Amino acid sequence: MEPDFKPVLITDIVHEIRPAFKDFGFKLKETSDNGFVLFIPFWGDAYKFSNGGKLEWKASFNSKSLSENKERINNIMGTTPDFDVFDNRIYFLQSNESIFVYDLKGNEIRNFPIDIPGLTTENIEVLNEVELIVGGIMVDQGLASLNFFKIDVPSNTKVLIKKIDFDAESTPILVNLNSEKAHILGDRDSYINELDLVDKSIEKIDFTPSRTRDYNKYSIPNNVDYFSLTEEEKRQYRNDKTKRFVINGSDILIFHEIVNRGNDIDQSYNFLLTKHGFSKGGVNEKFDVDWGIDFDECGNIFHIENMDGDYFIVRKTWEEID
């Protein structure tokens, strides 16, 4: 985002997006007209703001959405995991393995299938007007792999960049994707894998884990299909869940959900923001960070803040977070 990013008032849409923050948070990306898109992953709600912070339009893709503007719903069964912005276009990745393209005024320009058999696509990075990279998971006879493909849209050509095998029984994997690298973090890992999308090399980078997180305290019984459980049911088997992460120079910032196992049902989780040094660096933690968090590629932190009863999107550095 631009250095002069100012707090943006979102009080009018808070009631629409509040339920999604517990599970999915939000993503924020700048557009070529110096505005930005606020996106709710999986729900598929997108809000386009002008440079001055005015809400210009909103689009809702899925039935899970609470958005009031229903005439834009495309009746897509499933979810909308990710999106990207390139030039004057906004690309929405759909779980029916297709991509919907919108202009900056909220008009659908086109849609096209990804068409890679067996791939559950979760990440998208648009390189230019005709090329993009997708990342996703394939499962074959109990073996799982993380796969990155480069797609030439006009010719419908797909080239496998890299296939990375992993244990299908392991904790969930998160990916940060840009035009040059893919950073891959396992939910409970103390290292990241950095994939160079050009030369296809992989580097393992260790970071210092949180000392106060007891990852092994809660275990999943052998007869429980954890991945098929609802979000509320999953919480009984974990005490920490990674929600977002970003590389910030020589540190990695991680946004967590910490399960509250007390008696207050309405407060079943807390948020935690941690900063981990690579190699033998230190760890810093900030508890009870309100709402969800997103990061830009420079490691700045975007979150929603209540100021005298109104809600704003604000951008802060690590030092500025309360």
Side-chain angles (χ1 to χ4, degrees):
M1 305 297 283
E2 292 294 320
D4 62 349
F5 181 85
K6 298 179 177 61
V8 176
L9 180 67
I10 61 166
T11 302
D12 291 343
I13 65 171
V14 161
H15 73 285
E16 298 178 6
I17 61 179
R18 183 190 294 269
F21 274 74
K22 182 167 71 172
D23 294 332
F24 306 119
F26 68 91
K27 293 186 177 182
L28 195 70
K29 290 190 177 181
E30 186 181 13
T31 51
S32 60
D33 59 358
N34 295 320
F36 64 91
V37 176
L38 171 67
F39 173 69
I40 309 299
F42 298 101
W43 276 29
D45 281 10
Y47 299 84
K48 170 64 171 67
F49 289 85
S50 68
N51 182 38
K54 179 182 178 181
L55 179 62
E56 297 179 318
W57 54 267
K58 58 186 177 181
S60 302
F61 290 99
N62 303 303
S63 60
K64 292 181 179 180
S65 169
L66 295 186
S67 178
E68 294 176 349
N69 189 358
K70 294 300 182 183
E71 59 265 25
R72 291 188 180 275
I73 292 179
N74 288 278
N75 297 318
I76 295 175
M77 299 299 294
T79 60
T80 309
D82 200 8
F83 88 117
D84 197 17
V85 173
F86 179 80
D87 194 21
N88 60 351
R89 297 289 184 263
I90 308 169
Y91 297 73
F92 295 99
L93 170 66
Q94 307 295 343
S95 61
N96 67 351
E97 303 304 320
S98 65
I99 294 174
F100 278 58
V101 186
Y102 276 62
D103 65 18
L104 297 185
K105 294 182 179 180
N107 302 307
E108 183 185 324
I109 301 301
R110 63 174 301 197
N111 64 79
F112 56 90
I114 296 173
D115 195 24
I116 301 177
L119 184 72
T120 300
T121 315
E122 298 183 356
N123 304 96
I124 180 175
E125 176 73 17
V126 181
L127 302 178
N128 51 55
E129 293 180 353
V130 297
E131 293 179 307
L132 54 90
I133 293 174
V134 297
I137 293 175
M138 289 184 175
V139 179
D140 183 16
Q141 297 181 349
L143 300 177
S145 61
L146 185 62
N147 299 264
F148 297 93
F149 288 85
K150 187 174 183 179
I151 300 177
D152 180 87
V153 177
S155 67
N156 198 28
T157 303
K158 291 96 176 176
V159 177
L160 178 64
I161 299 173
K162 195 74 173 181
K163 174 183 177 183
I164 304 172
D165 295 325
F166 67 95
D167 182 0
E169 301 298 324
S170 65
T171 54
I173 291 176
L174 290 87
V175 176
N176 275 353
L177 186 63
N178 60 46
S179 60
E180 298 179 351
K181 298 181 185 296
H183 291 117
I184 304 156
L185 173 66
D187 191 20
R188 306 282 180 99
D189 291 341
S190 59
Y191 64 90
I192 64 167
N193 283 313
E194 182 179 80
L195 168 63
D196 190 305
L197 296 169
V198 179
D199 66 23
K200 304 182 182 180
S201 63
I202 298 179
E203 180 181 2
K204 181 180 177 182
I205 306 175
D206 295 318
F207 61 86
T208 307
S210 298
R211 298 182 179 90
T212 58
R213 308 272 72 76
D214 183 3
Y215 289 154
N216 298 316
K217 186 175 181 181
Y218 303 97
S219 60
I220 303 169
N222 292 332
N223 61 345
V224 172
D225 181 6
Y226 177 81
F227 292 99
S228 297
L229 296 176
T230 66
E231 185 63 25
E232 290 298 327
E233 291 174 317
K234 286 179 180 179
R235 288 191 175 99
Q236 65 182 304
Y237 299 120
R238 71 164 190 258
N239 67 321
D240 190 320
K241 179 183 180 182
T242 301
K243 307 286 282 185
R244 294 273 192 279
F245 77 99
V246 70
I247 306 301
N248 182 12
S250 59
D251 300 308
I252 176 173
L253 301 182
I254 303 178
F255 182 54
H256 310 248
E257 176 196 84
I258 305 299
V259 175
N260 174 7
R261 301 186 185 278
N263 295 322
D264 190 345
I265 297 176
D266 292 333
Q267 296 293 327
S268 59
Y269 64 96
N270 299 104
F271 290 136
L272 168 71
L273 181 64
T274 59
K275 181 170 72 170
H276 308 252
F278 287 127
S279 187
K280 295 183 180 180
V283 178
N284 292 287
E285 299 185 339
K286 300 198 179 211
F287 287 92
D288 297 326
V289 178
D290 195 15
W291 289 82
I293 274 182
D294 192 26
F295 305 102
D296 66 12
E297 293 185 357
C298 298
N300 292 311
I301 302 161
F302 293 92
H303 72 108
I304 295 176
E305 190 170 279
N306 188 334
M307 302 180 187
D308 298 324
D310 277 320
Y311 290 88
F312 295 82
I313 297 175
V314 298
R315 183 185 71 176
K316 293 185 176 180
T317 64
W318 169 271
E319 290 75 20
E320 293 171 330
I321 291 288
D322 294 332

